[in-house]
Amino acid sequence: MPKRSVHVAAAAIYNDQGQVLLARRPSIADQGGLWEFPGGKLEVYETGLEALKRELKEELGIAVERAQPLIRVHYEYPDKFVLLDVWEVRGYTGSPYGREGQAVRWVDIDKLFSYPFPPANVPIIRAVGLPHAYVITDETDDDEAFEAMLSHALQNRGGLLVQLRAKSLEESHFVERAQKALSLCRAHGARLILNGSAELLEHVDADGIHLTSDDLMAATERPVGPDKWLSASTHNNEQLSKAAQLDCDFVTLSPIRETPSHPGAVTIGWHDFQQMVEFAAMPVYALGGTTLDDIDRARAVGAQGVASIRSFLPDQDDA
């Protein structure tokens, strides 16, 4: 007998303190007792957003006023295929409570992994913990110029994720720059990813590492523990699949458009990007010719957000 397919709309609901609402599955239900992001199955002819609004009204007593796509997760259980269509909800009326007798709880984002979830929820937890703008630092040997760029980016946009990329530097110089970048990021509530080997984390207590696409394809196991983020550069479906096998927490997918540094490059475009991201099984940032103005468009086609270098430079109007 073929496995049944289930399409579920779910919500990452935020309060003013930045916490996310969880609900506990009834003990008699499938995977009972586990925690989940509230939502439910789509009815016939419903869209994901329509189902989301209905389910949250029925389950929590709230009316959704503003929601944006967060991530779509395809997962195969022993008895079924599940598509989790997850939305970020920050605008709603009413105070959520368990209308059907289920336990609900506001949880700090950094505590989510301490709760028992169904396995399909892991990419959602990762997406909830990531911002929608990812800064990739400009390649420069000038330390003062680097600090000015990073300080500008951090002061003009809160809650950033920063990738320190400086391939031209010797390792000792890179470590010095990473220490300074970490100090700046901590002062502004941002997280720092180092573009390089996992051994760098022995010298700098950053939040994780980023693999080039070559290093990704050469890796045989996840090079960092679960307490650190792992990201990677991807450009095609083969690399996305390898990133999933390596249990990357998130990736960049590029190039979306031509860039001044890569004129004439073969680009992915938004349509193909959407097709590739649909089954990526992790948050994906759109990179290559993208700016902060593309965040909503990127999210509409399944991205976590955008990664950019130029958008965060001090002379950019949209920084």
Side-chain angles (χ1 to χ4, degrees):
M1 179 180 296
K3 293 182 181 180
R4 61 194 175 98
S5 296
V6 180
H7 189 172
V8 175
I13 306 168
Y14 295 77
N15 64 13
D16 292 339
Q17 290 72 48
Q19 296 174 309
V20 177
L21 189 72
L22 299 183
R24 179 179 279 166
R25 296 182 63 80
S27 59
I28 61 173
D30 182 31
Q31 304 190 79
L34 300 182
W35 292 86
E36 65 180 358
F37 296 91
K41 300 175 186 176
L42 273 67
E43 294 183 351
V44 178
Y45 304 123
E46 271 189 323
T47 67
L49 183 57
E50 288 170 344
L52 185 82
K53 291 180 176 180
R54 176 183 54 75
E55 287 285 346
L56 297 190
K57 186 68 173 178
E58 293 173 357
E59 291 187 8
L60 302 174
I62 62 173
V64 174
E65 295 184 330
R66 187 174 72 256
Q68 284 187 286
L70 181 62
I71 191 171
R72 286 164 62 90
V73 179
H74 293 261
Y75 194 87
E76 182 179 0
Y77 285 104
D79 61 333
K80 61 188 174 184
F81 294 99
V82 174
L83 168 57
L84 295 173
D85 187 359
V86 189
W87 296 72
E88 179 180 298
V89 176
R90 294 184 181 271
Y92 56 90
T93 57
S95 298
Y97 68 99
R99 290 191 67 194
E100 299 173 344
Q102 75 276 30
V104 297
R105 181 178 300 175
W106 290 108
V107 177
D108 293 336
I109 289 174
D110 60 0
K111 300 293 195 302
L112 287 174
F113 271 110
S114 65
Y115 284 75
F117 283 89
N121 282 245
V122 171
I124 307 173
I125 300 172
R126 289 170 171 166
V128 167
L130 290 168
H132 300 301
Y134 184 12
V135 183
I136 301 176
T137 61
D138 193 24
E139 287 278 4
T140 176
D141 294 334
D142 187 330
D143 290 330
E144 289 188 6
F146 166 78
E147 290 183 26
M149 172 269 176
L150 183 55
S151 295
H152 178 85
L154 294 170
Q155 290 167 5
N156 283 271
R157 191 177 183 94
L160 287 174
L161 181 66
V162 177
Q163 180 193 134
L164 175 58
R165 185 177 185 273
K167 296 293 185 181
S168 63
L169 300 185
E170 296 290 337
E171 182 174 318
S172 59
H173 191 177
F174 183 93
V175 169
E176 291 178 6
R177 179 170 291 185
Q179 292 284 13
K180 180 61 177 179
L182 183 63
S183 178
L184 287 170
C185 286
R186 292 289 182 265
H188 291 86
R191 283 164 290 180
L192 180 67
I193 306 295
L194 305 180
N195 188 316
S197 69
E199 286 71 27
L200 289 168
L201 297 176
E202 297 175 6
H203 307 285
V204 184
D205 189 24
D207 297 285
I209 64 164
H210 178 87
L211 302 177
T212 65
S213 55
D214 288 341
D215 288 339
L216 168 69
M217 298 306 291
T220 57
E221 61 182 10
R222 181 181 167 99
V224 295
D227 60 326
K228 296 293 185 181
W229 291 101
L230 177 64
S231 71
S233 295
T234 66
H235 310 287
N236 53 47
N237 284 316
E238 181 184 9
Q239 292 169 359
L240 284 171
S241 178
K242 182 60 182 286
Q245 294 172 20
L246 209 62
D247 195 27
C248 286
D249 296 292
F250 61 96
V251 297
T252 59
L253 178 56
S254 66
I256 306 302
R257 305 186 183 102
E258 287 187 23
T259 65
S261 59
H262 297 84
V266 177
T267 59
I268 297 171
W270 290 115
H271 177 271
D272 287 354
F273 179 91
Q274 183 176 27
Q275 303 302 308
M276 296 167 72
V277 167
E278 177 70 21
F279 294 94
M282 74 203 81
V284 179
Y285 287 94
L287 172 65
T290 54
T291 72
L292 297 181
D293 290 335
D294 291 312
I295 287 179
D296 286 344
R297 182 175 187 178
R299 294 183 66 189
V301 295
Q304 177 72 21
V306 300
S308 180
I309 300 173
R310 291 182 298 114
S311 286
F312 296 97
L313 297 177
D315 60 349
Q316 298 298 307
D317 292 336
D318 58 352

